[in-house]
Amino acid sequence: MLFHRILTTETPIGRRKRPKMLSQGIQLVRTKPSDLAAAGIERVPRTTGVRDGRPVVGDDRVLDVKNVIWCTGFRPDFSWIDLPIFDGKEQPKEPVHVRGVVPDEPGLYFVGLFFLYAMTSGLFTGVGRDAEYVVDHLTSTARQQQPRPSYTGSVDALPQQS
């Protein structure tokens, strides 16, 4: 309850504790490969390139995927991101985001970061809630961007309402 509901970025105590927790980290929790397999997650070798817009992994397979989830492990390392999304206030530097949504870089999202939203964000118990928030953002953005049907005929051709 404390780590999942109270220590969040929406509570004063969570906002006060977050910077210190980010600088110290937490005890690592062991994730078993069998748990990942049971959840339907396939681990693949390191991404080595792109072919026809699809990721190529270390065994030269081209993955037919719609999304790539880049897992960096238990130590935050954002050195591979060359975008102006870091504010420099947090140590180690963290991307500026709102619950994983990067406002200044549409299409860039994070999940699984320690204390992304709550202290449990980096754990199985909290990452689902964070992922759901990001997916809700993605789907609402997609709905807003869909063109609305337009009528190009004459007004006289419109169906009459009774």
Side-chain angles (χ1 to χ4, degrees):
M1 174 75 168
L2 172 69
F3 298 144
H4 194 67
R5 301 256 183 242
I6 297 172
L7 291 178
T8 72
T9 57
E10 290 183 354
T11 66
I13 190 170
R15 288 189 298 273
R16 189 171 56 247
K17 294 277 187 188
R18 186 176 185 270
K20 184 175 182 180
M21 292 176 160
L22 286 175
S23 68
Q24 293 177 339
I26 62 167
Q27 181 180 9
L28 298 180
V29 178
R30 182 169 180 245
T31 304
K32 298 176 188 172
S34 60
D35 294 337
L36 295 174
I41 297 169
E42 178 189 359
R43 294 179 67 191
V44 297
R46 181 181 299 269
T47 303
T48 58
V50 176
R51 190 176 304 143
D52 298 323
R54 303 280 187 211
V56 179
V57 293
D59 58 6
D60 206 36
R61 278 188 296 157
V62 177
L63 302 180
D64 186 22
V65 296
K66 292 182 181 178
N67 299 294
V68 174
I69 301 172
W70 197 283
C71 302
T72 61
F74 289 105
R75 184 184 63 201
D77 178 10
F78 301 105
S79 62
W80 56 276
I81 299 176
D82 188 22
L83 295 169
I85 61 167
F86 303 97
D87 67 3
K89 294 178 185 175
E90 306 286 343
Q91 287 300 324
K93 289 185 178 179
E94 288 281 319
V96 175
H97 62 85
V98 178
R99 293 190 70 175
V101 178
V102 180
D104 294 337
E105 290 293 335
L108 182 60
Y109 304 91
F110 292 93
V111 292
L113 299 181
F114 175 61
F115 220 131
L116 179 112
Y117 168 69
M119 193 169 164
T120 57
S121 289
L123 307 174
F124 279 129
T125 56
V127 74
R129 173 176 62 185
D130 294 342
E132 183 178 2
Y133 182 88
V134 169
V135 168
D136 287 347
H137 175 82
L138 284 166
T139 56
S140 69
T141 302
R143 279 193 302 270
Q144 292 171 4
Q145 292 176 350
Q146 286 181 348
R148 298 195 183 265
S150 61
Y151 182 76
T152 57
S154 71
V155 176
D156 296 333
L158 289 175
Q160 299 299 314
Q161 295 181 1
S162 25

